[in-house]
Amino acid sequence: MAAWRERSWWGWGWADDALDDDACRRLAETSLRPWLPIDGSVLPVPYDPVLAPPRLIPPSIMQEAFAADAVTRAAHTYGKAFRDVVRALHGRLYNPPDLVCYPRTGHDVVAALDWAEAVGAAVVPYGGGTSVVGGVEYRGDNPWVSLDLSRLNRVIEVDVVNRAVRVQGGVFGPALEQALAPHGLTLRHYPQSFEFSTVGGWLATRSAGHYATGPTRIDDFVEAMRVITPQGPVESLRVPGSGAGPSTDRLFLGSEGTLGVIVEAWLRVTDRPARKASASVAFAVYDQAVAAVRTILQAGLRPSNCRLLDPVEAMLNAGSTDGRARLLLGFEGATTALLADALTICADHGGVATSGGPPSAAPGGDGRSAAPAGDEGAAASGAAASGGAGEVASWRSSFLRAPYTRDALIRLGLVVETVETACPWSRFEALHAAVTAAAQAAAPARVAVVTCRLTHAYPDGPAPYFTIITPARRGAEVVIWDEIKTAVSEAVIANGGTITHHHAVGRDHLPWLARQRDPLVTEVLRAAKRTVDPRGILNPGALL
């Protein structure tokens, strides 16, 4: 039996994996001083959150399903965005949930929603709490309940014949993959939050997995869903495909808990890959690297990993020291032989392979090893056997540790923001320049490190992901973050990008969604909400 571990209530992941004060100071000395002016002081971690008393009393018939202790309420106050972590560190927990409810069955969900309607409480569905867009933070005045679905955690059925799994909404990523592994199957969906996010959260936010091309969004894997709304349950038909009018599933995918609570789903699974092949390619000219990625996708190749790191990103997170961009490529299964074709395209665009080799057998395991070759699964791949293997392994380690490092940077007094979008290839150069300029102009004293990587790629465009790091005045971090967030979001919209490719909308992206989405579509969604949630108790203020 696995040892119990404590989740951090104020920051990312496991409490014992967070960087301690000494590790934060070493990070400042070894990685930051050449780039940014910092004084090396470390913001302390608050251990005893102080909250206002709850305004609600749990219903007697299901009192055991509710928690009202300070740590539990504090852990459910915010998600894991920069502004969430810094407010928690400063003890700014001004509007915590009055209660946290842990339903174990669909009947519990119905009872909780009925009770909330009766007492006039808002209900915010909560999966793993990894939202970085204000998706689980209620910003209204009414009493509210955080509906934590982590005890709806059963993998109900694995259908080997039809390659599908029936799973409850509160199942976390590792538990799902562990249930599929004995059958030689995998969902093939690895968001960065994989360890700490749930199936229901993936569905509610239309999460994108870590595979760079091909089926990667959770949408691609949905066969059917069961959703509980305040007006009753909605269940879609489980079939491989249907042309019977607008899709029921599509109504609730990405609805972010505003229309109903996703309690169960049938998801398509696939065989675990038997072979993987990967390579790292260096480019002296970034624009040529971008052109190589576009050519690979438009040639019909679909690498499992096709992650392009700009020179600064490659240095900070892949350990490269030559000032060149890096393209991390991976293929798996029957497509591993296509790595050679992708490397030829790279060479035609000035790329030089720094690692690569013949396909290797992919190991079995707990789900992590089924992740994309050349990335999360790359450390185990014999393809990364030469000089660039260290870059691939370094990137993998940096990627998995990135949220913990982000929390350490916050404690050191830095603003750390990530901006992700997608745009047509023809708009990428202008969008890249505009976002970089906007971030640097909005940063205090115009001092900021801005990096970019392509997380996903499509034949018609990339999904760039920017990281922005800048010093902040203690106590003014959220104000500075808001200014940078506004500036870069304006740049994204002005240059033809979507306000989000995979982080969802929540509350933080809502002003720009209103400019991206046709007003008539918004009215259609509001009409749907009035139908399924007439009293507006479900996640008020998010998405709509």
Side-chain angles (χ1 to χ4, degrees), residues 123-494:
V123 177
V124 177
Y126 185 102
T130 58
S131 171
V132 293
V133 292
V136 296
E137 175 195 354
Y138 177 58
R139 297 177 184 172
D141 297 324
N142 289 345
W144 68 287
V145 176
S146 179
L147 190 69
D148 188 318
L149 302 173
S150 60
R151 294 179 187 172
L152 279 169
N153 57 5
R154 292 172 54 221
V155 177
I156 301 170
E157 180 180 352
V158 178
D159 183 345
V160 176
V161 172
N162 295 302
R163 290 292 192 270
V165 60
R166 183 184 175 197
V167 59
Q168 290 185 313
V171 171
F172 286 85
L176 176 58
E177 287 298 328
Q178 287 164 9
L180 293 172
H183 304 277
L185 300 172
T186 176
L187 181 63
R188 201 181 183 270
H189 189 74
Y190 296 92
Q192 189 177 36
S193 62
F194 172 80
E195 188 175 6
F196 303 109
S197 57
T198 63
V199 169
W202 300 345
L203 297 167
T205 60
R206 294 187 64 202
S207 75
H210 208 56
Y211 286 84
T213 71
T216 185
R217 304 198 73 93
I218 195 65
D219 317 31
D220 300 324
F221 308 116
V222 176
E223 266 194 346
M225 290 166 52
R226 177 174 172 81
V227 183
I228 294 176
T229 80
Q231 292 296 97
V234 176
E235 190 164 355
S236 59
L237 179 67
R238 183 195 171 199
V239 289
S242 174
S247 167
T248 301
D249 297 330
R250 293 282 173 175
L251 176 63
F252 292 100
L253 282 167
S255 61
E256 301 189 26
T258 62
L259 301 180
V261 181
I262 300 170
V263 295
E264 191 177 302
W266 276 100
L267 303 174
R268 300 180 180 92
V269 295
T270 188
D271 291 335
R272 298 170 74 84
R275 298 173 73 77
K276 296 183 178 182
S278 63
S280 174
V281 185
F283 289 85
V285 180
Y286 183 67
D287 289 347
Q288 291 182 341
V290 173
V293 174
R294 175 172 60 83
T295 304
I296 288 170
L297 270 293
Q298 292 179 350
L301 304 182
R302 296 294 182 268
S304 58
N305 190 34
C306 190
R307 186 155 277 96
L308 176 60
L309 318 180
D310 73 12
V312 178
E313 177 88 20
M315 182 182 64
L316 293 177
N317 290 318
S320 66
T321 58
D322 57 12
R324 295 186 292 177
R326 288 296 190 276
L327 176 60
L328 307 181
L329 282 170
F331 288 81
E332 61 183 38
T335 70
T336 52
L338 297 177
L339 176 61
D341 294 338
L343 290 175
T344 298
I345 291 172
C346 290
D348 291 343
H349 289 81
V352 177
T354 60
S355 74
S360 64
D366 63 358
R368 276 292 179 195
S369 57
D375 208 322
E376 289 186 79
S381 173
S386 57
E391 295 171 351
V392 176
S394 178
W395 164 254
R396 176 185 185 274
S397 175
S398 295
F399 176 81
L400 297 178
R401 291 288 305 169
Y404 296 104
T405 304
R406 186 278 310 262
D407 288 356
L409 296 177
I410 294 172
R411 296 184 62 208
L412 287 165
L414 297 173
V415 169
V416 185
E417 170 59 348
T418 56
V419 177
E420 43 78 40
T421 183
C423 65
W425 288 109
S426 57
R427 292 178 179 263
F428 172 68
E429 183 177 0
L431 184 145
H432 181 276
V435 169
T436 301
Q440 292 171 337
R446 297 178 179 265
V447 176
V449 173
V450 183
T451 71
C452 180
R453 65 180 183 262
L454 303 187
T455 62
H456 300 76
Y458 305 87
D460 48 345
Y465 187 107
F466 299 87
T467 300
I468 303 158
I469 307 174
T470 186
R473 299 183 306 277
R474 294 289 191 185
E477 299 98 333
V478 172
V479 173
I480 294 169
W481 180 89
D482 284 341
E483 291 172 353
I484 294 172
K485 181 72 171 180
T486 298
V488 297
S489 297
E490 289 291 331
V492 165
I493 294 297

Side-chain angles (χ1 to χ4, degrees), residues 459-532:
D460 48 345
Y465 187 107
F466 299 87
T467 300
I468 303 158
I469 307 174
T470 186
R473 299 183 306 277
R474 294 289 191 185
E477 299 98 333
V478 172
V479 173
I480 294 169
W481 180 89
D482 284 341
E483 291 172 353
I484 294 172
K485 181 72 171 180
T486 298
V488 297
S489 297
E490 289 291 331
V492 165
I493 294 297
N495 287 275
T498 175
I499 192 57
T500 177
H501 173 263
H502 58 266
H503 280 173
V505 175
R507 293 162 178 82
D508 295 344
H509 286 155
L510 197 55
W512 297 278
L513 176 67
R515 289 160 55 185
Q516 175 179 325
R517 186 173 61 194
D518 192 285
L520 188 57
V521 175
T522 300
E523 289 307 310
V524 170
L525 291 174
R526 285 176 176 160
K529 184 168 178 65
R530 287 193 296 269
T531 300
V532 298

Side-chain angles (χ1 to χ4, degrees), residues 105-132:
T105 66
H107 294 298
D108 287 348
V109 174
V110 172
L113 295 182
D114 288 347
W115 169 78
E117 278 194 320
V119 301
V123 177
V124 177
Y126 185 102
T130 58
S131 171
V132 293

